[in-house]
Amino acid sequence: MSKKQLYKDLLERMDLALLEEFYMEACWIQYAIIEDRFNSVIRNAYPENGTKLLKTLRGLDRKLEQISGKIHEDDHDCLKTVHKELLKRIKNWKNKRNTLMHEIAETDDLAKVQRKLKILAPEGKKLVNELSARVWKYKKLVERRSS
């Protein structure tokens, strides 16, 4: 399966999970998509060694820190498209998701966790959509800049 097809499949699965009220699954898929989009930003922000750099960055937090460090005055395209406010919202969402994932194994009230996931999953979809659009725009700006 191509990378493009995999991404399309993940988006379709996310939408289906939300439609069927499988919010936990939707959040897992959203996390995967966000990590994939971060990988794309890093590969494009560091064209000479982005793929190699990704091998040293395990986990969303490390990738988020790397991207935050890249957003500075010298990379106007990254500054305009993948901005720190969006990264802050993604980090906040990720922290809530991780807390809920741990809560699942420790709770006596799974319905309470499900109610929280019902709020979190649509928020994740909005972040996925916004990040995906911004990363696409960033990739196009990088392509133009290197032509």
Side-chain angles (χ1 to χ4, degrees), residues 10 13-19 21-33 93 97 117 120-122 124-125 128:
L10 285 173
R13 287 173 183 253
M14 176 188 66
D15 288 338
L16 182 60
L18 286 166
L19 182 67
E21 299 182 3
F22 293 126
Y23 302 116
M24 186 184 328
E25 290 82 353
C27 288
W28 274 89
I29 294 167
Q30 291 159 356
Y31 187 96
I33 292 170
W93 177 87
R97 176 214 170 260
L117 286 166
L120 191 65
K125 180 178 179 171
V128 161

Side-chain angles (χ1 to χ4, degrees), residues 3 35-54 138-139 142:
K3 185 78 171 155
E35 188 158 13
D36 175 73
R37 298 295 76 209
F38 280 2
N39 291 349
S40 180
V41 169
I42 291 168
R43 278 192 299 274
N44 283 281
Y46 302 92
E48 290 81 32
N49 67 340
T51 301
K52 185 177 176 182
L53 178 60
L54 281 170
Y138 178 55
K139 286 171 65 173
V142 169

Side-chain angles (χ1 to χ4, degrees), residues 88-136:
K88 186 186 301 182
R89 288 188 290 133
I90 289 171
K91 185 172 186 168
N92 184 44
W93 177 87
K94 178 210 51 97
N95 289 341
K96 290 189 283 186
R97 176 214 170 260
N98 289 351
T99 298
L100 284 174
M101 291 303 134
H102 293 288
E103 198 175 310
I104 289 168
E106 301 170 2
T107 188
D108 293 334
D109 186 1
L110 198 53
K112 180 179 176 184
V113 173
Q114 181 69 358
R115 286 190 297 275
K116 291 178 184 178
L117 286 166
K118 185 176 183 175
I119 295 167
L120 191 65
E123 181 183 335
K125 180 178 179 171
K126 287 178 188 172
L127 290 171
V128 161
N129 290 342
E130 183 176 351
L131 180 63
S132 295
R134 289 178 178 279
V135 170
W136 181 85

